[in-house]
Structure formats: C-alpha cells, structure tokens
Amino acid sequence: MTPKLTHPNPNILVSGEGESHQLLTHTVVWKITTEDTNSRYAMFEMTDTVGGSAPAHNHPWEETFYILEGELDIQIGDRYATIGAGAVAHFPANVVHAFKIVSPVARVLIVVSPTIAEAFYREAGARITSFPPDPIVVQEMCEKYNLQPQ
C-alpha cells in the first residue's frame, strides 16, 4: 500500500533550485518555505565567502546550521568552535550566537523555526541593501522581530 501524502505542498528541488535573494553578503536560496510546512519551519541554503558573518546576537527563533562546504567560526553562548563540512551547530531561541566564514567559500543549510524567522530573513534581504547597513533600518528590524544585537 502506498502511503497517502497529507501535506498540501510536496516539494522536490534539485541542486541550484529555489527562490534566491541577497542578504548583505550572503546569497540565500529558499529550499523549503513555511508555506510548504504548514508554518512549522523553513530551510534555506546560505552561500558566502571568507569574512561573511553575523555579529553576536540573539532572537526568539531557533536555527540549525548544517555545513555543506567550507569552514565557519561559531559562537554559541560562551562556547567557540571552528566547524567544517558535515558539522552541525544548533542555536536555541534567545541564546547569543555569531558566525564568521573562515574558508574561501562556505555553503550552509539552515533550518529555522518558528515561521517568524522566514519573515525576518525575507524582509531583511529586501530592506538591508547596503553595507554597512542603515542603522535606522537595522533598529526597526530588530524591534519588529525581537532581535537583540550584543
């Protein structure tokens, strides 16, 4: 007997497929959206080059990084590590964390939950378009999504 699919949006994407946008220096490719998962989680691939980073911050959603290629320096709370392909880093909600790419290129598969995270990344990609970012826009985004720079 073949199991019946109960999910409204089954999805298969081959390598390179997915909706893409820039978030500062990161290229984000959405693989699974909250629409695909009944608002339970979303998943995207992030690609960037050496020096690409996110400074220490926390937010009310969880993130899990699975390193596909390259190396990142990771901070989770007071723990620091350099991790490479095949490694996983899980950032619980409201825990201070940061990362910096230390290899020439890195590709990271990122799973976020709950769905407010996808809304943040999409809006940040649309509104934060210069480097360094406009501090007024950053402040507005931090307040709207309860993101706390450290």
Side-chain angles (χ1 to χ4, degrees), residues 11-74:
N11 195 355
I12 296 174
L13 296 175
V14 298
S15 181
E17 287 187 328
E19 179 188 351
S20 177
H21 69 86
Q22 286 301 121
L23 177 55
L24 293 176
T25 62
H26 314 316
T27 299
V28 171
V29 179
W30 292 96
K31 299 299 185 176
I32 302 293
T33 67
T34 56
E35 184 177 307
D36 297 324
T37 65
N38 293 319
S39 297
R40 290 188 296 266
Y41 66 94
M43 181 173 64
F44 61 92
E45 183 177 320
M46 178 192 74
T47 304
D48 206 342
T49 56
V50 66
S53 65
H57 64 284
N58 66 42
H59 43 63
W61 58 86
E62 298 197 17
E63 293 176 321
T64 301
F65 283 24
Y66 180 81
I67 312 306
L68 299 168
E69 174 185 348
E71 289 188 324
L72 283 75
D73 283 342
I74 297 282

